[in-house]
Amino acid sequence: DAKTTQPTSMDCAEGRAANLPCNHSTISGNEYVYWYRQIHSQGPQYIIHGLKNNETNEMASLIITEDRKSSTLILPHATLRDTAVYYCIVRVAHSRDKLTFGGGTRVLVKP
Amino acid sequence: GAGVSQSPSNKVTEKGKDVELRCDPISGHTALYWYRQSLGQGLEFLIYFQGNSAPDKSGLPSDRFSAERTGGSVSTLTIQRTQQEDSAVYLCASSLDSGAQSGNTIYFGEGSWLTVV
């Protein structure tokens, strides 16, 4: 798996958009960008994934740069319940390719 | 059920005893994964199943750890002669493995918290 680089931590204000960056400069053409989050004492929760096009679902938006070397996860209206560790992971879309978790970004949403 | 189900949710055991942790993957998911997360640490891959076979056991930390999967569904992770350093949350995950187009999203259970005293 290509390595990813994320900031260790970030704060954001409740009700505002949270923009979480991720660098994956060595990503291969067949690797997807996945985002998961882990709220304290819970299992990792899938958020969104994409290959090269921007993606949006009910939880978040994923913006991938044209060269695919970086991406941004956007939580449009952060709530206190979005406080969690957010993981950006790249992997080939095959079950044999397990998720390899790095340190993630510890996001604290403040009132 | 709708999601990955793990049991027990919490287990306290004495050092030296054996423990079994169970995982029920999402119905129809052929790929199954076990991870471990010690307190304050990152997620550590243990083993991957495709159907009943385990092509990747590279993360099992010692021969005290083993896992099996029967009928292509339920999996059991067994830890023999438990040690205090085995205390962690053990997470199970599954995916459909339907092909590249889907991205093969992996979904996690809530974990089994193991405390060895």
Side-chain angles (χ1 to χ4, degrees), chain B residues 55-68:
Chain B
D56 188 352
K57 305 178 182 179
S58 62
L60 294 177
S62 75
D63 58 8
R64 296 187 296 105
F65 288 73
S66 63
E68 65 176 12

Side-chain angles (χ1 to χ4, degrees), chain B residues 50-101:
Chain B
Q50 179 58 254
N52 291 336
S53 64
D56 188 352
K57 305 178 182 179
S58 62
L60 294 177
S62 75
D63 58 8
R64 296 187 296 105
F65 288 73
S66 63
E68 65 176 12
R69 190 179 185 195
T70 55
S73 181
V74 172
S75 176
T76 302
L77 177 69
T78 301
I79 309 172
Q80 295 179 310
R81 305 180 303 281
T82 52
Q83 303 295 312
Q84 288 185 331
E85 60 264 27
D86 299 335
S87 295
V89 59
Y90 289 82
L91 292 153
C92 180
S94 70
S95 72
L96 186 58
D97 190 25
S98 64
Q101 287 83 358

Side-chain angles (χ1 to χ4, degrees), chain A residues 2 37 58 65 68 71 102:
Chain A
R37 72 180 183 184
E58 66 278 4
T65 58
R68 302 187 70 236
S71 60

Side-chain angles (χ1 to χ4, degrees), chain A residues 32 34 36 38 41-46 49 87 91-102 106, chain B residues 31 33 35 37 43 45 48 50 55-56 91 95 97 100-110 113:
Chain A
Y32 285 72
Y34 285 80
Y36 283 77
Q38 191 172 26
S41 301
Q42 297 182 19
Q45 179 188 21
Y46 165 77
H49 75 280
Y87 297 97
R91 71 182 276 260
V92 177
H94 188 283
S95 64
R96 185 179 293 265
D97 199 20
K98 57 189 177 286
L99 292 167
T100 301
F101 289 83
R106 191 170 297 274
Chain B
Y33 312 78
Y35 284 78
Q37 188 173 31
L43 286 101
F45 168 78
Y48 153 68
Q50 179 58 254
D56 188 352
L91 292 153
S95 72
D97 190 25
Q101 287 83 358
S102 73
N104 285 308
T105 301
I106 297 175
Y107 297 94
F108 285 80
E110 291 303 321
W113 290 81

Side-chain angles (χ1 to χ4, degrees), chain A:
Chain A
D1 287 345
K3 291 185 178 179
T4 62
T5 305
Q6 298 178 253
T8 303
S9 64
M10 63 184 293
D11 295 345
C12 61
E14 185 180 20
R16 303 293 295 271
N19 296 286
L20 282 62
C22 180
N23 287 320
H24 30 80
S25 58
T26 59
I27 191 170
S28 300
N30 62 347
E31 287 181 313
Y32 285 72
V33 180
Y34 285 80
W35 283 84
Y36 283 77
R37 72 180 183 184
Q38 191 172 26
I39 297 169
H40 183 61
S41 301
Q42 297 182 19
Q45 179 188 21
Y46 165 77
I47 301 173
I48 199 168
H49 75 280
L51 184 62
K52 52 185 177 181
N53 296 325
N54 296 338
E55 302 288 345
T56 296
N57 63 20
E58 66 278 4
M59 290 183 67
S61 295
L62 174 61
I63 309 298
I64 303 174
T65 58
E66 191 170 342
D67 63 7
R68 302 187 70 236
K69 292 185 177 181
S70 66
S71 60
T72 301
L73 179 75
I74 301 173
L75 307 177
H77 305 285
T79 71
L80 299 180
R81 287 174 296 192
D82 291 323
T83 291
V85 179
Y86 287 76
Y87 297 97
C88 170
I89 302 166
V90 295
R91 71 182 276 260
V92 177
H94 188 283
S95 64
R96 185 179 293 265
D97 199 20
K98 57 189 177 286
L99 292 167
T100 301
F101 289 83
T105 297
R106 191 170 297 274
V107 174
L108 176 61
V109 180
K110 296 182 174 180

Side-chain angles (χ1 to χ4, degrees), chain B residues 13-31:
Chain B
T13 190
E14 293 181 350
K15 178 181 173 181
K17 295 287 182 66
D18 297 352
V19 297
E20 287 189 350
L21 307 176
R22 175 188 169 106
C23 173
D24 277 285
I26 293 172
S27 179
H29 280 194
T30 58

